Amino acid sequence: MATRVVSMEEMLGRTAKFGKLRPSKMAFLDTKIPGHERDIYNVIGEGVTEDPSLTPAITAVQDFNVTYVGAEPGKGAALHSHTTVEVFISMSGRWSVFWGDDGENEVILEPWDVVSVPTEVMRGFRNVGDEHGYLMAILGGTDAGRVAWAQRVLDEAAATGLSLDADGNVVEEAAADA
């Protein structure tokens, strides 16, 4: 059986060099809420980002999306859910992955630990280490869909001036009024 021949050009289009990735600090609705500041790097596919300017390094998406999250201690994502499974892998540092309607459940991930969160479960994560850390998130599906936020996150984000437009993208109220 012959194998597929892939050119160097095609393979380079399917390669992401971390040093060349450009993160978004406003990839999600919760990023201006204190404690939820973080850098989002779309590696493979667009994932569930709410920042249309955040382009993935690798656009060839087949059945999964990969995102890196970089955060200082105490920072991470607020409660949200997805219609796809989300897998978290601690790449460096210690991370709390919490779930439930009020985030009442928690598992701590050390480097290289993995947790798979089922569909439509409220979840969030936070760097609970002592230094900047990286977490990998893998979302199922070629189209990972959109984020569903807990109501209190929507309310807190509105107080910071952020909301979502009709397409589900983050907008600042000042920008939306202009």
Side-chain angles (χ1 to χ4, degrees):
M1 179 169 124
T3 62
R4 179 177 171 204
V5 176
V6 178
S7 69
M8 178 61 77
E9 182 180 347
E10 182 180 352
M11 195 56 75
L12 289 175
R14 299 176 72 93
T15 302
K17 297 286 190 170
F18 184 76
K20 293 185 178 182
L21 296 177
R22 296 295 164 246
S24 171
K25 292 188 179 301
M26 293 248 318
F28 294 102
L29 181 70
D30 66 339
T31 54
K32 285 178 98 176
I33 299 171
H36 301 295
E37 306 88 348
R38 62 196 182 281
D39 292 331
I40 301 294
Y41 303 82
N42 279 356
V43 182
I44 301 175
E46 294 180 7
V48 293
T49 186
E50 296 166 341
D51 176 358
S53 71
L54 180 58
T55 57
I58 301 171
T59 57
V61 179
Q62 290 180 300
D63 301 328
F64 67 94
N65 293 256
V66 175
T67 299
Y68 295 158
V69 179
E72 294 297 326
K75 311 288 184 183
L79 279 174
H80 64 283
S81 70
H82 301 288
T83 58
T84 64
V85 170
E86 187 169 27
V87 174
F88 294 109
I89 303 169
S90 173
M91 295 168 53
S92 66
R94 297 179 72 233
W95 292 85
S96 163
V97 175
F98 47 92
W99 69 95
D101 288 344
D102 295 312
E104 64 272 16
N105 304 291
E106 175 186 53
V107 64
I108 301 295
L109 301 181
E110 302 285 344
W112 309 111
D113 291 347
V114 179
V115 65
S116 174
V117 181
T119 62
E120 303 191 16
V121 170
M122 281 291 169
R123 84 287 304 267
F125 54 83
R126 178 183 323 98
N127 178 349
V128 293
D130 297 328
E131 55 192 38
H132 191 275
Y134 288 97
L135 182 72
M136 182 188 308
I138 302 170
L139 288 160
T142 299
D143 177 359
R146 288 294 189 170
V147 174
W149 293 101
Q151 185 59 50
R152 74 172 184 256
V153 176
L154 293 169
D155 296 341
E156 289 177 26
T160 72
L162 294 184
S163 63
L164 298 173
D165 66 15
D167 295 323
N169 295 315
V170 172
V171 292
E172 291 192 74
E173 292 303 323
D177 294 337

